Amino acid sequence: LTGSWVNLTCWCLTQDCPQPCACPSEPLLCPIGTSLVLDGCGCCKVCAKQMGEPCSRLEPCDHHKDLYCDSGVLSETETGTCKAREGQMCDLGGVTYSSGESFKPSCKHQCVCMNGRIGCVPMCASNVPLPSPDCPYPRRIHIPGKCCEEWVCEQTPRDHHYQSVVAGKHDKPESPQDNCIVQTTDWSECSAACGMGISSRITNDNQHCQLERQTRICMIRPCNSRQEKEIKRGKKCIRTPKGQRWMRFELSGCSSTRLYRPKFCGVCTDGRCCTPQTTITAEVEFRCPEGDVFKKKMMFIKSCSCHYDCPQDNDIFLAFNTRRMTGDYEREVL
């Protein structure tokens, strides 16, 4: 019986998986918020199926959103339906979403609930056109009836309608960054009390001296870490415990290529909460099961403070608490 089952399984795999792999020459363009993943044969990258959509070995579910293919029967050739693994629900503006469910809180964002946390991607393009002879002064404007702002070309800058021609033809043109008064806000609170979250700030420290939103991933503490057990006798808080073991960061099913031993913010037993006070920002490289590699800026904690001014919200849209963090700067390598 065992031998027959093995032979049947191999026959099914042979029928489902093309030999050799036959993949499109051009990469697929998936809808915003949909992952590009390897099919079950390990051959080609396909657009992952979302919750409630039909799935199969060649059309897998989006594992980055913790979805799995529920076929209902033990057969390699049957199709199934993508379902979310059991997890905490999310609440946004009084609306409850199941773990793994995708939704649009506005026309500008596509979001997904992942085990109690909300992650979003912008629906509007964030590309910034560079000045050119045909478009020397690009400007973004709002068009009535459209959600996303669009870029238009202007021949003269907004603050004056003429341009000095004092510079010679061999002189280097003046960059907007040369006379830029840099303005940068503090980083916002991490969007999650435990596990991976998002922190953001607004700055014009860029080539065009234009305000833009920068983001970094953050982790104040791991979930289910039971830090209360580390509080010493007679104390009510553990402020900045260091990780007891080396770890890899996990983000949407991808893992950091390096091991880290980060510091986290602790907990209190008297109603206070502990949040980052001094942080640095560094790039972390991640590798996905499909082999893709990407880098993300991440907050690393240097010290924490414990206080009664505790943030109550748990997602990037509702987190209005902006406790000031000091000494934050960027580093290339830890």
Side-chain angles (χ1 to χ4, degrees), residues 218-273:
C218 49
M219 181 184 288
I220 296 179
R221 62 184 63 83
C223 295
N224 303 320
S225 57
R226 297 183 179 180
Q227 294 175 322
E228 296 86 352
K229 293 184 177 181
E230 301 179 29
I231 299 177
K232 296 180 180 179
R233 180 175 295 183
K235 301 290 185 179
K236 296 182 179 180
C237 297
I238 177 170
R239 191 172 60 179
T240 316
K242 190 167 186 176
Q244 296 181 352
R245 58 184 179 84
W246 294 84
M247 62 177 290
R248 295 186 191 275
F249 294 115
E250 300 287 336
L251 181 65
S252 299
C254 308
S255 302
S256 62
T257 56
R258 282 183 51 186
L259 289 168
Y260 296 87
R261 193 183 175 192
K263 290 182 179 179
F264 298 114
C265 288
V267 293
C268 296
T269 58
D270 60 356
R272 286 182 290 170
C273 57

Side-chain angles (χ1 to χ4, degrees), residues 18 53 81 88 95 99 102 126 145 147 151 161 185 192 213 215 219 223-224 229 306 331:
E53 294 182 347
T81 303
Q88 297 181 9
V95 181
S99 181
S102 297
S126 59
C147 176
W151 288 94
H161 297 282
T185 66
R213 180 174 177 265
T215 60
M219 181 184 288
C223 295
N224 303 320
K229 293 184 177 181
C306 302
R331 292 181 58 183

Side-chain angles (χ1 to χ4, degrees), residues 34-331:
T34 299
S35 303
L36 191 65
V37 300
L38 277 177
D39 60 27
C41 300
C43 270
C44 308
K45 289 189 175 182
V46 296
C47 297
K49 294 296 182 178
Q50 304 302 301
M51 190 167 71
E53 294 182 347
C55 53
S56 65
R57 172 174 290 276
L58 293 178
E59 296 180 313
C61 300
D62 200 333
H63 65 85
H64 293 294
K65 298 178 181 177
D66 212 17
L67 301 180
Y68 70 100
C69 190
D70 183 15
S71 61
V73 291
L74 295 176
S75 173
E76 293 287 346
T77 58
E78 291 289 335
T79 59
T81 303
C82 289
K83 293 186 178 180
R85 302 186 188 278
E86 292 186 6
Q88 297 181 9
M89 304 180 78
C90 303
D91 180 271
L92 178 62
V95 181
T96 302
Y97 301 95
S98 303
S99 181
E101 183 177 357
S102 297
F103 59 95
K104 290 182 179 180
S106 71
C107 61
K108 293 186 177 182
H109 292 92
Q110 173 79 37
C111 302
V112 62
C113 171
M114 294 183 287
N115 193 22
R117 297 191 295 273
I118 295 176
C120 300
V121 293
M123 299 290 290
C124 300
S126 59
N127 59 307
V128 178
L130 297 177
S132 65
D134 296 331
C135 186
Y137 297 101
R139 185 169 65 93
R140 190 156 49 185
I141 62 172
H142 176 72
I143 299 178
K146 292 190 177 182
C147 176
C148 301
E149 295 178 331
E150 296 185 5
W151 288 94
V152 296
C153 292
E154 295 186 349
Q155 298 302 315
T156 57
R158 296 282 295 175
D159 53 348
H160 56 274
H161 297 282
Y162 62 93
Q163 186 174 12
S164 173
V165 291
V166 175
K169 63 179 181 179
H170 298 294
D171 292 342
K172 182 181 177 180
E174 187 179 69
S175 167
Q177 195 174 23
D178 294 338
N179 297 319
C180 184
I181 300 176
V182 176
Q183 302 177 68
T184 304
T185 66
D186 298 325
W187 287 103
S188 67
E189 288 280 352
C190 190
S191 63
C194 70
M196 278 293 186
I198 298 175
S199 175
S200 64
R201 69 179 180 182
I202 303 297
T203 183
N204 65 343
D205 189 7
N206 52 58
Q207 183 179 357
H208 303 284
C209 193
Q210 294 180 347
L211 290 175
E212 63 178 5
R213 180 174 177 265
Q214 296 179 343
T215 60
R216 63 177 181 178
I217 55 178
C218 49
M219 181 184 288
I220 296 179
R221 62 184 63 83
C223 295
N224 303 320
S225 57
R226 297 183 179 180
Q227 294 175 322
E228 296 86 352
K229 293 184 177 181
E230 301 179 29
I231 299 177
K232 296 180 180 179
R233 180 175 295 183
K235 301 290 185 179
K236 296 182 179 180
C237 297
I238 177 170
R239 191 172 60 179
T240 316
K242 190 167 186 176
Q244 296 181 352
R245 58 184 179 84
W246 294 84
M247 62 177 290
R248 295 186 191 275
F249 294 115
E250 300 287 336
L251 181 65
S252 299
C254 308
S255 302
S256 62
T257 56
R258 282 183 51 186
L259 289 168
Y260 296 87
R261 193 183 175 192
K263 290 182 179 179
F264 298 114
C265 288
V267 293
C268 296
T269 58
D270 60 356
R272 286 182 290 170
C273 57
C274 301
T275 56
Q277 182 180 35
T278 307
T279 67
I280 64 171
T281 303
E283 277 196 339
V284 174
E285 184 179 75
F286 291 88
R287 185 181 301 276
C288 302
E290 298 82 27
D292 295 329
V293 177
F294 64 92
K295 293 181 179 181
K296 284 284 188 182
K297 288 185 177 181
M298 183 168 182
M299 177 188 78
F300 285 85
I301 295 172
K302 288 297 184 181
S303 66
C304 303
S305 62
C306 302
H307 48 83
Y308 290 103
D309 183 17
C310 301
Q312 300 296 322
D313 307 312
N314 195 38
D315 63 74
I316 60 176
F317 289 100
L318 300 177
F320 294 119
N321 192 291
T322 54
R323 172 169 291 274
R324 181 176 178 82
M325 290 178 285
T326 60
D328 188 273
Y329 57 95
E330 296 193 8
R331 292 181 58 183

